[in-house]
Amino acid sequence: MEATVAQLGLNSGVPTPTMSVLMRFLILKYYSQYYSFCTVGNDFLQDVPLSRIVLSLYDQFNTSMLHAIDNGCQAFVVDEQGAERFLDLYMPVHDLARQRSLDKSLILLIAKRNQTHLFDRMRVHEAFRELANVLIVVYDEQEHPTDLYNTVVDMSDVLERSVNVTIELVAVKWTSWKNHTFFPDKARDLNGYVLRTSMCNYLPFTGYERLVEDEDEWGDVYPNGTGIGLMGSVAERRTDIAFGAFYLWFKPYNFSSYTATISRSGVTVLVPKPKLLPHWRTPFLSFSWPLWMAVMVTFLVGIIATWLAGTVRLRLLLLSAPTDQPWTGRSDLISEQLTLSDAVLMMVGFFVAQSSPIRTDLWSCVCLFASLLLAGFMVSNLYSGGLASVMTVPKYEKSIDTVVEFAATGMKWFGPTPYCLEEIWNASEQIQKTYIAAGPEEMNRYAHMGGSGFIVEQAQHGNFAPSNFLDRQVSTTLQPLKDYVYTQNCAALITNTNPLRSNLNEYILRVQQSGLLYHLGIRTAIRYLPTDVMRNIERSRMHQHDDGAVRLELGHFLGAFFILGYGLLCASLVFVGELWGTLMMRRWNDTFVSKVSVVTAY
């Protein structure tokens, strides 16, 4: 509803200062705190000992205004000729500027003959929502102030963004006008000022009246200043401030600003928990794969050495056998021959601590078999100790504990917004390619499928932020990394020219130093967080078998049965192969003999 201008007069009969005197006083008292101020048109100022930038309406005013703001212009004095154009450009130019000054002030100088026309235009101008410190000075033809006004902004419809500006007359006692407060502190009483707020759906941790539903959550900001979601709503000025897990990202900062840091946040990844290794792998878990390779190499080398030693020994026995004895022929020494299969079984016996036939008639064989016995003894005892440990203490898959290990897996990982990669933009290309921005429903679907990672946020007091994709079933299959992917500061996203930003920053800092956030964070976590889900995440690295050894079960012997079954299968296949080979050799021999011609001697 439009308000009318109060019809109140100034003190009659009291001399008023000239515009030059009044403006000099106002500038020195209220603008001296600023780095510099800008004037547009006739400002009634002469020899002011402050930094001043004079702008011309007729020489690329928008560009000049942008350069002035970037060079430190923090307050403005505008006459009636440039009032409308200045107000139209105030928000667009500040959105493009790099300087983000707080508590801007504006003094509008209007001739009394044009007061009615300009006031009608200003009552619905949206720029006054972003200007709290406004003083309108109306002067007469003798360049004396006649009326002074302040502005009060009201919004009848939040979604339509329409504003009603009430222009209130300031009652000044000109007998003591220098003691009057021309720019009152409007933060003490906002007079129903509407702060359009958007936030993530963190119910029940946030309470608000939902006016518009945005499915894009955090959203995005595009290079032309438009956007979607929470960030887009602030960039397009559909809302004044947005609360959420906003880190200090540069891209939305081009079209909006950040408040003071509300909290510190650490981002980590929920990865699949290591599963209990299947029991059939029990016999193979005593040694690591490099140790198994070393054992196999030792086993093969022992077989070759044993077979070579047996072959050389047989040759020496044949050479040293007496030739005058009829019972010492080659056929009598055939039992001393060591075949390859004998060497294999001998090495197996050494490695499983079983007895094997050992030749002791040569010192070289004694040294060889002694070393093989010691090696087999060590391998057998180490394997027995490792097997006892494996069968009593459960073994799990390799756990993903650090960010480096997670990156090495090449696993897909999901997050709510592409901006989650802003802090690690210079990370390896592999980890950036595997990241996928997804909504809660899609993340929940992939969480049930398994084999993926999910970004989760941990607040500065240790509590995990609520994640919509987590449910009771999924929380039992995931665990957080031991370190953070990165840490950041959380802030609210606010429009560049919001007049309440400095007051909000002061309030945030006071709350931070009071310790109130810690108290509220712990209290909220205890009262509202899903206890079972959060407890599963926090205790995910405590396995169910951490209390001690487990009792042996039938499943622990599946590995032995697996080896037995595999050995029987291999023996059967080899036996069938030998039978087939024998039959083929017999047929081949019969065919070859039948084709040989008989030669008769003459």
Side-chain angles (χ1 to χ4, degrees), residues 321-580:
T323 56
D324 55 348
Q325 300 294 334
W327 48 268
T328 58
R330 292 179 179 272
S331 59
D332 297 323
L333 296 175
I334 195 66
S335 61
E336 299 294 333
Q337 183 179 0
L338 186 66
T339 63
L340 184 60
S341 59
D342 293 334
V344 172
L345 292 178
M346 182 180 293
M347 287 302 302
V348 171
F350 289 159
F351 274 55
V352 297
Q354 298 297 320
S355 61
S356 299
I358 299 176
R359 308 298 193 271
T360 59
D361 49 359
L362 294 178
W363 278 104
S364 59
C365 293
V366 172
C367 294
L368 174 63
F369 293 139
S371 62
L372 293 177
L373 280 172
L374 291 175
F377 173 78
M378 293 295 296
V379 171
S380 176
N381 281 274
L382 289 175
Y383 181 81
S384 299
L387 185 62
S389 173
V390 169
M391 296 184 72
T392 54
V393 179
K395 293 294 183 180
Y396 291 85
E397 297 175 343
K398 180 176 175 54
S399 177
I400 304 175
D401 298 328
T402 64
V403 178
V404 176
E405 294 175 353
F406 174 73
T409 62
M411 183 184 299
K412 291 182 179 180
W413 55 311
F414 298 84
T417 172
Y419 286 95
C420 293
L421 296 181
E422 287 291 321
E423 282 70 20
I424 54 174
W425 61 269
N426 58 345
S428 62
E429 185 177 358
Q430 178 184 1
I431 194 172
Q432 296 194 42
K433 283 186 175 181
T434 55
Y435 176 80
I436 301 175
E441 295 181 359
E442 184 178 359
M443 292 174 66
N444 181 265
R445 184 172 68 255
Y446 279 101
H448 281 278
M449 294 171 58
S452 302
F454 305 90
I455 282 184
V456 67
E457 182 183 9
Q458 190 171 17
Q460 63 182 6
H461 304 303
N463 301 313
F464 286 97
S467 301
N468 295 335
F469 73 94
L470 284 177
D471 54 33
R472 185 177 303 173
Q473 178 183 354
V474 170
S475 63
T476 60
T477 63
L478 299 173
Q479 67 177 12
L481 298 178
K482 290 184 177 180
D483 54 359
Y484 292 121
V485 179
Y486 57 85
T487 58
Q488 253 288 10
N489 295 318
C490 289
L493 205 60
I494 196 170
T495 55
N496 288 334
T497 54
N498 194 292
L500 300 179
R501 181 152 59 102
S502 60
N503 302 95
L504 181 59
N505 290 342
E506 180 183 355
Y507 176 75
I508 291 173
L509 295 177
R510 289 183 181 276
V511 172
Q512 283 279 20
Q513 72 178 7
S514 67
L516 185 61
L517 285 182
Y518 175 77
H519 171 73
L520 292 178
I522 298 300
R523 184 177 178 181
T524 303
I526 294 175
R527 181 175 297 180
Y528 295 115
L529 280 180
T531 307
D532 50 354
V533 174
M534 292 298 115
R535 183 176 63 247
N536 291 338
I537 296 298
E538 293 176 356
R539 303 182 61 184
S540 57
R541 291 190 172 272
M542 299 175 59
H543 301 295
Q544 59 179 348
H545 300 296
D546 283 351
D547 296 335
V550 297
R551 298 175 59 183
L552 293 181
E553 301 174 354
L554 181 62
H556 290 90
F557 299 94
L558 289 179
F561 298 148
F562 173 79
I563 295 176
L564 177 61
Y566 183 76
L568 294 175
L569 178 62
C570 291
S572 301
L573 294 178
V574 172
F575 179 69
V576 172
E578 289 177 342
L579 290 177
W580 181 79

Side-chain angles (χ1 to χ4, degrees), residues 101-119:
S101 304
L102 302 175
D103 297 328
K104 293 181 179 290
S105 299
L106 171 64
I107 299 177
L108 288 176
L109 307 178
I110 300 175
K112 192 171 184 62
R113 61 181 179 273
N114 301 321
Q115 175 181 349
T116 304
H117 168 71
L118 288 176
F119 276 21

